[in-house]
Amino acid sequence: MSYAVTPPPISALPILGSNQLFPIHRAFCVGRNYAAHAAEMGNVVDREAPFYFLKSPQHVAFANGKDPVPVPPRTDNYHHEIELVAALAKGGSGISIDTALDHIFGYAVGLDMTRRDLQQDSKDKRRSWDTGKDFEFSGLCSALCQPGAGARPDQGAISLHVNGDLRQSGNLADQVWSLAEIIADLSTLYTLMPGDLIFTGTPAGVGPVVAGDALVGTIEGIGTLEVRLI
Ligand code: MN
């Protein structure tokens, strides 16, 4: 059988030191995983349970530092959120915290780009966040690095500079939910699959960016992500 319309290309990320690509199955995102960011958004973090939203795999892009990334339409408050991204090599359901990190393929530096005005309007109206969070180029990632090269999900400086000014600065050790806890919890909601990505939440300091801005995100031991907006 042939397809009635052209199927979408597989969204994929490059892998440092490899000529293979990592195909993206889904992109899960964790909300409010650093207490200081939750506070700046007017929320108190609860340890009851982490919460999630998703980005379409087609909306996640490798940011190679050369090709500019377009600012999306219909926003006057387009925000950066620098995040550790984990990529899964193995899936499963009911994954234990103890074995969760065995499922990791690698890590990337990511940006959860957000139309904050649309997200806020959705919150106010108790509607879904989709138009605020899931749009073309809303998930930007560096190349993946594989564990063993000094990459750790639980410790390390994470920062974002915009036009040379430090905007976000934190440490992975300050995450409310560890990556192992997130994988274990997500695996009670979904059957996780190879190719799944997890955006693990952002530290404090989110703010607006506009066309012409240059963003540089860094996570200690994992890499650097460079984005120029048009
Ligand atoms: Mn986020």
Side-chain angles (χ1 to χ4, degrees), residues 30 53 81 83 112 133 201-202:
V30 183
F53 57 92
E81 297 190 357
E83 309 201 357
D112 165 13
K133 286 291 195 179
T202 196

Side-chain angles (χ1 to χ4, degrees), residues 59 69-79 113-119 129-138 209-211 229-230:
H59 292 165
V69 171
V71 171
R74 294 278 296 268
T75 184
D76 296 313
N77 200 16
Y78 175 51
H79 271 208
M113 299 305 294
T114 302
R115 290 193 278 214
R116 192 72 72 199
D117 39 4
L118 298 190
Q119 183 200 23
W129 291 4
D130 290 356
T131 60
K133 286 291 195 179
D134 188 6
F135 51 87
E136 292 90 341
F137 300 101
S138 61
V209 281
V210 296
L229 298 174
I230 56 162

Side-chain angles (χ1 to χ4, degrees), residues 71-214:
V71 171
R74 294 278 296 268
T75 184
D76 296 313
N77 200 16
Y78 175 51
H79 271 208
H80 55 78
E81 297 190 357
I82 188 74
E83 309 201 357
L84 170 70
V85 177
L88 299 191
K90 285 198 299 178
S93 56
I95 296 168
S96 72
I97 293 172
D98 288 349
T99 63
L101 297 185
D102 299 341
H103 295 250
I104 296 292
F105 178 86
Y107 301 102
V109 182
L111 279 164
D112 165 13
M113 299 305 294
T114 302
R115 290 193 278 214
R116 192 72 72 199
D117 39 4
L118 298 190
Q119 183 200 23
Q120 187 59 51
D121 189 54
S122 299
K123 289 180 180 178
D124 293 344
K125 293 175 176 162
R126 305 181 73 173
R127 293 176 180 165
S128 89
W129 291 4
D130 290 356
T131 60
K133 286 291 195 179
D134 188 6
F135 51 87
E136 292 90 341
F137 300 101
S138 61
L140 302 173
C141 287
S142 69
L144 288 168
C145 71
Q146 294 186 271
R152 301 183 49 170
D154 59 341
Q155 179 79 48
I158 176 170
S159 66
L160 181 79
H161 287 78
V162 178
N163 303 328
D165 296 331
L166 182 64
R167 290 275 192 94
Q168 291 190 262
S169 180
N171 196 291
L172 301 178
D174 295 330
Q175 294 184 93
V176 176
W177 295 92
S178 71
L179 180 59
E181 290 173 320
I182 291 163
I183 291 170
D185 186 64
L186 263 178
S187 79
T188 67
L189 290 163
Y190 301 89
T191 300
L192 295 179
M193 298 289 288
D196 284 340
L197 297 180
I198 302 172
F199 285 69
T200 60
T202 196
V206 301
V209 281
V210 296
D213 285 347

